[in-house]
Amino acid sequence: MLSSNKWSRRGAVATAAALAATAVAAIGASASSAKMQVAHAASAGFTVAAYGDSENSVEKYAVASYDATAEGKSDPATLETFPGADYQTKLQTIMSTSSAPDVFFNWGGGSILQFQKAGLLEPLNGYFASNPKLKSSFLPSILSAAKIGANYYGIPMRGTQPVFFFYNKTLLKTDGVSLPKTFPQLLADVKKLKAKGVETPIALGGADQWPTLMWYEYLYDRVAGPSLVTNALAGDKAEWASAASKKALADIKTLVNAGAFGVDKSWDSVYFTKNQTAAMLQTGESAFELMGSWDYSTIQSQLDDGSSSASAQKAAATQENSLIGYTAFPSVPGGKGNGNDIAGNTENYYSVTKAGAAANPGIADFLAVMYSPGFVKKELAIGNLTTTSNTKSLISGPTSAYLTWQYNLVNKAPAFQLSWDQAYPQTDTNTMHTAVANYFDTLNASQFIKAMQSLTPAS
Amino acid sequence: MTTLAKRGRTKGSGGLKIGRPSFLWSLPAFVYFAIFALLPLGVVVWLSFTSWDAIGSPHWVGTSNWTAMFKNPELLQSFKITGILTILGIATQTPISMLLGVWASGYQKNRAILSALYFIPLLMSAIAISVVWASLLSPYFGLPHELHWLFGSALFNHGFLFSSSPAAIGVLTFVGMWQWTPFHTLIYQGGARAIPEVLYQAASIDGAGRVRQFWSITVPQLRNTMITSMVLMLAGGLTTFDTILVLTQGGPGTATTSTSYYMYLEGFKSFQFGPASVLSVMLIVVTTIVSLIAVRASGWDKMRSTQEGL
């Protein structure tokens, strides 16, 4: 589950050596100049590409239930999963070749922008016109995260993943620390925990860099409101140098200097992707972690004995519920952002390629499976919070309290900030990650502002 | 690099054409080399003058990738880091593998058994080694936490090994040493076994002790072995990538972003294959020049026998 949520997580382990990588680039170059999209017309049916991980069981279900219909029999779908990390890289290298998928998994926003610009994507407006339920069955705010210009390009197909605080209930109780409702309270909690001997009150996987970015997403929202990033993305680079931006940066520095994430850059040695922060939270090394909703299953995997039996997982879930709590990010007094705003990964989407749409009339029916009650129930059962309008009535099972809490969090949020590294095109990811990581270490505010201004706006 | 070195040697020893096979004999090897080395190389040079994000066709942008890259402060820094890692690699691996290799060249049973054990890292994949060390060096759950008396000093950055630039470079050097010393030990073992026993016997008669024998016979006799091993370390060090990818991901900040890792980031993280190709062309040129200098300076291209007169 972990690795599907952000492409930034892909870098954990890659096997290509440097020079081999160059060679691949070269081969890709010659392949793309060859004739494209020849295979499509010839073969019946269409391919559905998805990120390969433990959640594929539900994608398999979706494909199987579509293939069982009359439409599916004449125009069958085939699921193709790209296992392991580097999904976006693999997608990018085949998108303009003859092996491009017809329907593909993505993160919306910046992850499909380049494909859209290259004219490879089919706008879904035509499908919406012939089947209005395909639009009305999903939460509007989620659908718009895969909207480019006036056109929709993605149908939600997994779950929404807001970012919020996880905390160790036992540690907060023994140290007499209350849940922070405001930013000054968070600072006070950090000081109190440090005084009680908790050296690293907040676990942060700084070595991965993208967990660090979450702190910026929330503090920028709370201090400056959601418009700052929206405007910056639309091309107004001056926003980064505004007073509100500087205030948010100052708040971040205050937290870092208070030793909230440990002493002297210790966070640079810690990974989320190697399950280190989850272990820190679980063992009481740290009291808080700001992380996406998938952290729940990461912690659960630490607690169960590794067997996948239902009883063992249920026991781990019970243990987790008594040890780990979750709460919204604190508000910042005097800030412009609403305390109910959230940040995170809006959803995963299926997008359709132009060539695929032209050759396969069945795709519209396949996409309609994504809001069917059977599919939604399957997603909920593996812990994915779907974003269909019927979701709330279908939640049940051992994690229902957690899912309902999240659903309400998403539902009452006036704004949902898509992770910056997904909102911006992928070409900017590295610059952005380096900047957010370095501002925790050595950069000053004006250097950070300069780095953010060097990013290419998405529009 | 080897081909260039060979060409140099042939030129130097002109007049030895008698009995040499014609060019036809090397045709299969040359065709293979052309398809899998020269052709991709040519495409990369071409890509370095284009803008391409892996979608659609690359379009020509002239020298703008090159001028932008030369103005980029990260370029110089990445070459500096590559240089430091390479020099540290040679400086740590050479003495250890030479001593171990000479020791392992003895025919005693215990040495054979210990050497066999010692060569195990040679069989492991670089990624696996890096993943194991990353877990071992985790600050909260690995060795730094268990052995706090050892790691709790400023030298080891108080156990947060990946949070300071010197400590992170130290870790990369150490893991590289752990991984590559067995390979170079093997080379030195072979070299040491080829030293004729009579030399040592003669030295013993003249009253030379072990240390004197080592410095006056073993080291000079191992000269060609040393050059071979060091050229391999040099080429390997300049293109180190997998260890960095798994252990530090170029961090903290950009403190361990070597040129090859920087190339990976530009190409496969940022999808800017133009600048990435500029970096790879630079890396090829620099590696070739450095290796050529090493070969010329050490006299490897002439490679005189160390056993003349025996």
Side-chain angles (χ1 to χ4, degrees), chain B residues 227-306:
Chain B
I227 295 164
T228 308
S229 153
M230 280 164 92
V231 169
L232 287 173
M233 283 179 193
L234 198 64
L238 289 173
T239 52
T240 312
F241 171 74
D242 32 21
T243 333
I244 295 175
L245 176 71
V246 177
L247 278 172
T248 66
Q249 298 185 5
T254 51
T256 57
T257 304
S258 71
T259 313
S260 51
Y261 188 73
Y262 187 37
M263 177 181 83
Y264 164 78
L265 286 180
E266 285 288 313
F268 290 90
K269 284 284 164 186
S270 303
F271 291 109
Q272 294 179 332
F273 286 99
S277 301
V278 171
L279 282 167
S280 64
V281 172
M282 281 187 196
L283 204 56
I284 291 164
V285 170
V286 169
T287 314
T288 310
I289 290 174
V290 171
S291 302
L292 274 180
I293 291 172
V295 164
R296 282 290 149 99
S298 60
W300 197 43
D301 53 334
K302 299 183 193 76
M303 197 61 105
R304 290 166 58 91
S305 166
T306 46

Side-chain angles (χ1 to χ4, degrees), chain B residues 86-285:
Chain B
T86 308
I87 290 167
L88 282 175
I90 293 174
T92 52
Q93 291 171 30
T94 303
I96 296 177
S97 43
M98 189 194 288
L99 285 172
L100 278 173
V102 170
W103 177 82
S105 68
Y107 289 93
Q108 294 90 333
K109 251 197 192 114
N110 65 336
R111 293 190 183 188
I113 293 168
L114 282 172
S115 316
L117 287 177
Y118 189 68
F119 290 138
I120 288 176
L122 204 55
L123 306 172
M124 293 161 67
S125 92
I127 295 286
I129 290 174
S130 305
V131 169
V132 166
W133 279 106
S135 312
L136 277 173
L137 297 175
S138 147
Y140 292 102
F141 307 100
L143 290 177
H145 190 259
E146 301 301 320
L147 306 176
H148 202 261
W149 54 271
L150 176 65
F151 285 92
S153 68
L155 178 64
F156 292 111
N157 201 33
H158 306 282
F160 295 104
L161 292 166
F162 300 108
S163 298
S164 83
S165 158
I169 285 175
V171 169
L172 288 175
T173 306
F174 174 81
V175 173
M177 187 175 85
W178 194 86
Q179 182 187 352
W180 289 113
T181 306
F183 173 68
H184 294 283
T185 301
L186 201 62
I187 297 179
Y188 279 108
Q189 185 195 31
R193 281 195 172 164
I195 302 173
E197 196 59 27
V198 288
L199 292 176
Y200 292 103
Q201 289 162 351
S204 299
I205 293 168
D206 289 346
R210 279 198 164 192
V211 178
R212 184 67 203 265
Q213 285 183 11
F214 178 78
W215 286 112
S216 302
I217 297 170
T218 313
V219 174
Q221 286 285 313
L222 284 178
R223 202 193 70 193
N224 290 341
T225 314
M226 221 184 300
I227 295 164
T228 308
S229 153
M230 280 164 92
V231 169
L232 287 173
M233 283 179 193
L234 198 64
L238 289 173
T239 52
T240 312
F241 171 74
D242 32 21
T243 333
I244 295 175
L245 176 71
V246 177
L247 278 172
T248 66
Q249 298 185 5
T254 51
T256 57
T257 304
S258 71
T259 313
S260 51
Y261 188 73
Y262 187 37
M263 177 181 83
Y264 164 78
L265 286 180
E266 285 288 313
F268 290 90
K269 284 284 164 186
S270 303
F271 291 109
Q272 294 179 332
F273 286 99
S277 301
V278 171
L279 282 167
S280 64
V281 172
M282 281 187 196
L283 204 56
I284 291 164
V285 170

Side-chain angles (χ1 to χ4, degrees), chain A residues 10-73:
Chain A
R10 289 175 293 113
V13 177
T15 37
L19 288 171
T22 334
V24 172
I27 292 161
S30 38
S32 75
S33 52
K35 286 231 159 154
M36 296 167 198
Q37 325 274 9
V38 237
H40 287 291
S43 65
F46 55 93
T47 54
V48 178
Y51 189 100
D53 62 10
S54 60
E55 295 177 28
N56 290 140
S57 59
V58 188
E59 276 106 49
K60 280 183 194 137
Y61 167 85
V63 166
S65 56
Y66 161 75
D67 282 353
T69 63
E71 182 73 55
K73 285 203 173 84

